[in-house]
Amino acid sequence: MKPTLLVLAAGMGSRYGGLKQMDGVGPQGQAILDYSVTDAIRAGFGKVVFVIRHSFADDFKKVFNAEHFGNKIEVEYVFQELDCLPEGFKVPEGREKPWGTNHAILMAKEVIHEPFAIINADDFYGGDAFKVMGDHLRTLEGAEGKYCMVGYKLENTLSENGSVSRGVCEIDANGLLIGMTERTAIMRTENGIEYKDADDTMHPLAADATVSMNLFGFTPDYFAKSEALFVDFLKERGTEMKSEYYIPMAVNTFLANGSATMTVLHTTAQWFGVTYKEDRPSVVARLKALHDQGIY
């Protein structure tokens, strides 16, 4: 069994200012997701599914297709749009904001039937992270409710050019996730690493805290469970203009009600990404260094 890679690429990158998942940051113009798919192929993934939007589908498919990846991996596309909702629900008038990362995952329910990993299109995760994830997913064929994630140290995931959002993880003695708390304004300050709450109060965070970078692994039962939860979410918050159905919301619910466990995997890989335009030169330099080392 070969696991599948699900790439969340529907976001337009509002903070970055453009379609950042197609930005050529590598020495030969490679996009970040070129490295992710390359690493996934090396790690034994058999298929990649891109979640995109119809507004840029043609441009995206011209670049990121099976031939582009040397026909070494099967490629499929699914679409996340505001009106992709369960029966009985409709988009509230005036809403423009997408429904969030877990809504994006649901778009792939018809094309993924094996254990799968999900990533952000604009994040660099590193080859070891894909190897660790792929090896673990291959042990889960036929399993249900056996989820996993690759955790990173908080201090290795920050931007020098603005605040970031991270899912801060609580882990038990057996290496299983207890829960994730979404912190949406994390930054370095003169006091160390802190986050700002809804009242604009600053709180400290440990530099070595384990955080989620949206590198999760799921068994296929996740689709049905999270779709049922999405219905509950829409009943409660579906009329709001900016409510989003995040992955940590679903995972925390399943962990709390005992319907799933999530193993926290550890990696030697270094994460980096382009959250802001100002992050780009650093990413370009780091990718060049990896090429110079012969890794790519």
Side-chain angles (χ1 to χ4, degrees):
M1 186 277 300
K2 289 188 174 184
T4 287
L5 179 65
L6 180 60
V7 181
L8 307 186
M12 294 300 288
S14 57
R15 284 180 299 181
Y16 184 67
L19 196 59
K20 62 182 173 180
Q21 57 265 44
M22 295 178 69
D23 187 17
V25 288
Q28 286 84 46
Q30 301 94 330
I32 287 180
L33 67 79
D34 279 316
Y35 295 92
S36 293
V37 177
T38 295
D39 287 336
I41 293 169
R42 291 175 176 177
F45 285 74
K47 179 168 69 175
V48 56
V49 178
F50 294 109
V51 185
I52 57 177
R53 294 173 67 177
H54 289 98
S55 60
F56 60 83
D58 290 344
D59 290 339
F60 192 94
K61 289 180 179 181
K62 285 177 185 176
V63 178
F64 300 112
N65 50 53
E67 185 176 356
H68 177 75
F69 299 116
N71 293 310
K72 295 178 180 178
I73 194 167
E74 183 182 349
V75 176
E76 290 199 47
Y77 312 92
V78 296
F79 298 92
Q80 182 187 20
E81 303 292 351
L82 270 179
D83 59 357
C84 295
L85 296 174
E87 188 175 351
F89 294 94
K90 62 181 181 179
V91 180
E93 186 176 352
R95 179 173 177 126
E96 298 180 357
K97 192 173 183 63
W99 292 104
T101 50
N102 215 51
H103 177 250
I105 291 177
L106 290 175
M107 301 304 99
K109 66 180 181 178
E110 301 298 334
V111 300
I112 297 179
H113 309 287
E114 58 283 320
F116 65 100
I118 71 130
I119 62 168
N120 297 329
D122 48 7
D123 290 347
F124 179 92
Y125 293 93
D128 183 71
F130 285 94
K131 182 182 186 305
V132 167
M133 175 62 76
D135 289 348
H136 189 81
L137 290 177
R138 276 186 285 273
T139 70
L140 300 179
E141 186 173 8
E144 291 190 0
K146 299 293 185 182
Y147 308 154
C148 57
M149 61 165 283
V150 173
Y152 289 80
K153 286 186 177 181
L154 173 61
E155 63 182 345
N156 294 331
T157 71
L158 302 180
S159 169
E160 298 302 320
N161 299 299
S163 65
V164 298
S165 299
R166 301 287 180 257
V168 181
C169 302
E170 184 181 0
I171 305 167
D172 71 13
N174 297 314
L176 296 176
L177 185 69
I178 297 172
M180 286 177 285
T181 303
E182 190 76 12
R183 303 300 186 193
T184 56
I186 303 173
M187 64 197 81
R188 293 188 191 274
T189 71
E190 59 185 13
N191 298 319
I193 299 175
E194 298 183 294
Y195 73 91
K196 184 187 297 184
D197 66 17
D199 298 321
D200 288 339
T201 302
M202 303 299 293
H203 303 271
L205 283 171
D208 63 352
T210 298
V211 296
S212 159
M213 300 308 301
N214 267 10
L215 177 44
F216 291 103
F218 296 112
T219 44
D221 58 284
Y222 186 80
F223 291 115
K225 284 211 283 279
S226 59
E227 185 164 43
L229 197 62
F230 187 43
V231 169
D232 293 339
F233 171 87
L234 290 172
K235 289 178 180 177
E236 182 179 349
R237 304 185 60 191
T239 59
E240 298 175 16
M241 290 295 104
K242 295 186 178 181
S243 59
E244 290 191 60
Y245 183 40
Y246 293 115
I247 296 166
M249 293 166 59
V251 169
N252 284 342
T253 299
F254 303 145
L255 299 185
N257 66 23
S259 62
T261 60
M262 177 161 279
T263 301
V264 180
L265 308 172
H266 298 283
T267 178
T268 59
Q270 293 286 308
W271 175 96
F272 54 88
V274 183
T275 304
Y276 301 95
K277 279 186 176 181
E278 293 80 7
D279 294 328
R280 192 180 187 279
S282 173
V283 169
V284 170
R286 294 177 78 164
L287 289 173
K288 183 180 183 304
L290 292 172
H291 279 265
D292 291 344
Q293 295 168 33
I295 295 174
Y296 298 106

